[in-house]
Amino acid sequence: MTVQSFYVQNMLRKYKKQITTAQYIARANGSARNLHVFNQNDDAQLSDKERRIANARRQGLVERVAREVYENLLFSGSDNPIVEEIKAQLEIDLGFAVLFRNPFPNLSLQIYKETDLGPIKVTSDEKEEIMNRLWAISLDKVNATML
């Protein structure tokens, strides 16, 4: 008996989504216990030390949320509005569209440029530049949208 490749690919795609979702839930459960949200209306009543602590907590929260958005964009191809905005900003900054491919959880992420001739795999230097730019854009978007 032979199994058609479509069914195998579909099964692996679903398995990958399940793994990504399980990792997301595990991280969310761990970080939700330590969450403390800084209310900006209380800023006037805080001392300098308390303000620095609150800002550090806020920055930590921004980085955790940005990491989730960043990973969703890279590994699960989410169609979240924030993810779409980040993709659009990255395309504007780079001057070309990019495709992110993660063939399977054990293999490394692959990034392709979209050209008229079709997708072309980027070099390792370009990949590093794209990843750094993507992280910076993710941080900026999340920071701008957080209260």
Side-chain angles (χ1 to χ4, degrees):
M1 181 170 106
T2 61
V3 178
Q4 294 180 353
S5 68
F6 167 77
Y7 296 114
V8 173
Q9 289 175 352
N10 194 29
M11 178 202 58
L12 290 174
R13 192 175 304 118
K14 286 182 181 180
Y15 178 66
K16 180 180 145 188
K17 284 184 179 182
Q18 289 173 347
I19 289 174
T20 304
T21 303
Q23 290 171 344
Y24 175 78
I25 290 171
R27 274 193 304 267
N29 285 339
S31 64
R33 291 185 201 112
N34 302 323
L35 247 156
H36 179 271
V37 179
F38 169 61
N39 186 352
Q40 292 180 341
N41 295 332
D42 296 336
D43 191 33
Q45 300 169 357
L46 298 176
S47 69
D48 286 339
K49 182 178 179 182
E50 291 171 331
R51 190 174 296 118
R52 283 193 305 268
I53 291 170
N55 285 334
R57 285 182 182 158
R58 183 184 186 285
Q59 186 61 32
L61 180 61
V62 166
E63 288 181 9
R64 281 194 300 264
V65 172
R67 174 68 55 193
E68 292 299 324
V69 170
Y70 179 81
E71 289 175 358
N72 278 339
L73 194 148
L74 292 177
F75 300 115
S76 67
S78 173
D79 291 334
N80 179 314
I82 297 293
V83 171
E84 292 297 324
E85 289 178 24
I86 292 170
K87 282 182 186 178
Q89 183 64 43
L90 182 64
E91 186 176 326
I92 291 168
D93 289 356
L94 296 175
F96 54 86
V98 292
L99 296 170
F100 299 101
R101 297 287 178 248
N102 189 15
F104 197 73
N106 296 334
L107 300 176
S108 67
L109 177 71
Q110 298 172 352
I111 302 176
Y112 295 91
K113 288 183 199 180
E114 282 196 38
T115 64
D116 294 336
L117 302 172
I120 298 174
K121 191 171 181 179
V122 299
T123 65
S124 60
D125 291 337
E126 289 176 317
K127 181 178 178 179
E128 185 176 335
E129 178 186 335
I130 290 169
M131 298 295 281
N132 289 337
R133 189 66 200 132
L134 182 62
W135 175 244
I137 293 169
S138 298
L139 271 177
D140 288 344
K141 282 288 185 200
V142 170
N143 194 28
T145 58
M146 296 274 298
L147 297 176

